[in-house]
Amino acid sequence: MDFPKKPAVISVELFRTSYGVERDAVRHCRGHVFKTSDPLCYICPQWWKPQTWRENARNLNSVSHASYRDAVWPVQNHPPDDLCSKYWSGLSHPEAGVHAMVASTIFFQFLVVIEKKHVLLKLSKQSLVSAPKAIETPKNICLDHISSYHAKQDDPRDPFQDDIFSDGNRTNSKNRYGGSCWSFRADVKRKYGWICEVSRKNLTAPSGVTDHGYLRLTKKLRIGGDQKIIMSRLVSYDERMAIAQVWFTASSNIGVDSATNDSNENIFQGDPVWNISSWHQDKTSIPQPYAIQLGELQFKDSSQIQWPMTFQGGDVTNIGSSSNNSSSNFGSKSVEVTFNLKILLGSSRSISESQVDKFKLLGVVTC
């Protein structure tokens, strides 16, 4: 992190509950067990307190901490209703989904610190009587989500189409998008995502970014005042991992997104396209976010789309799309566009006989 003392230790502060096992809670705090509105959630008062007990020790030893407890359950007497079912589904050790949320909490804190480390270093040298001003959100983070779609481990439901359940079969037409190479499935250990996996040996695509529907995935999104899109994809050392291109077109009234959406014209002046790689040299396979900033871009006149005036701090005088806007405040403060993702044939390092290119989308968030 390039701080003066280069900290190598961070304290991750948690809590615990007893989900569905009342006798476990009784064994720890007989006569003092309390519950949330969830009848299966049992809590002992001391399970919230380890972070507080360690505070002096952390301060004396200058140990930084990231608090999952404060992110989820900051006030002891006011636990969230879904504390056990969502945020700690276990006993002393939670299930896999909680691990991902703890990791996200730590990751967010690292992003904030890295983004603002010079400000934080300056503040650390001052004797502050009052709390410092709030730090701006890093550029690659969305806090107030407008559109939000995430593939989840062990969950076969397609977030793009809630009524579709993946059966893991890449050739099953119900998991595919408009006959394209894209399908929602798990490629390993029930880790789901939107995957395109094609053999260059058996497929030849024309040049350009919008003229080959088989390689293209589309999704309508609403973009809010931050004018930002964060997409997450799997990045791996696997030689098959390829580059995908992202661009934006107008939304339509088709309803279900498909690779045959005929709104092919880029809606932004200059026809910007983002090339997003999913390969790296490290011997790891991990999710990585990619931030697309749209704030400096201007819409083409032909798109008949304008950023709402609220994006510049004024009154709402324009709304997002020519044909598909809501009259609600939500609709008037966002614009609807179509997100396009197309795998680039030949962009992987695959040298095997089949010459496979692969890309795995894990999520899309806008704000």
Side-chain angles (χ1 to χ4, degrees), residues 71-86:
V72 170
W73 184 13
V75 181
Q76 183 179 12
N77 294 331
H78 298 282
D81 291 338
D82 49 2
L83 178 66
C84 291
S85 60
K86 181 177 181 180

Side-chain angles (χ1 to χ4, degrees), residues 150-261:
H150 293 282
K152 299 178 181 178
Q153 186 172 349
D154 296 321
D155 189 348
R157 290 175 296 182
D158 184 344
F160 282 177
Q161 304 180 71
D162 290 336
D163 59 335
I164 298 296
F165 286 73
S166 173
D167 59 7
N169 184 353
R170 75 178 68 179
T171 62
N172 191 330
S173 61
K174 75 176 183 179
N175 297 331
R176 302 175 75 86
Y177 285 82
S180 74
C181 64
W182 293 93
S183 62
F184 184 79
R185 61 183 176 88
D187 51 354
V188 61
K189 296 180 181 179
R190 294 183 60 81
K191 295 181 179 179
Y192 289 89
W194 295 270
I195 300 171
C196 174
E197 193 169 353
V198 293
S199 171
R200 302 197 298 269
K201 187 176 181 180
N202 300 322
L203 182 67
T204 302
S207 60
V209 298
T210 61
D211 53 6
H212 201 281
Y214 181 73
L215 302 175
R216 176 183 172 198
L217 174 69
T218 71
K219 181 60 183 173
K220 294 176 187 176
L221 302 173
R222 298 203 73 92
I223 304 172
D226 289 343
Q227 298 164 279
K228 187 188 307 183
I229 294 175
I230 311 292
M231 61 169 283
S232 176
R233 82 283 194 202
L234 180 71
V235 177
S236 173
Y237 62 98
D238 185 338
E239 66 173 15
R240 298 173 298 169
M241 303 310 291
I243 294 171
Q245 289 186 321
V246 170
W247 72 102
F248 298 93
T249 55
S251 63
S252 68
N253 289 314
I254 293 175
V256 177
D257 303 289
S258 72
T260 58
N261 186 335

Side-chain angles (χ1 to χ4, degrees), residues 253-273:
N253 289 314
I254 293 175
V256 177
D257 303 289
S258 72
T260 58
N261 186 335
D262 57 4
S263 301
N264 287 330
E265 183 181 1
N266 197 312
I267 56 177
F268 290 109
Q269 295 179 16
D271 297 328
V273 174

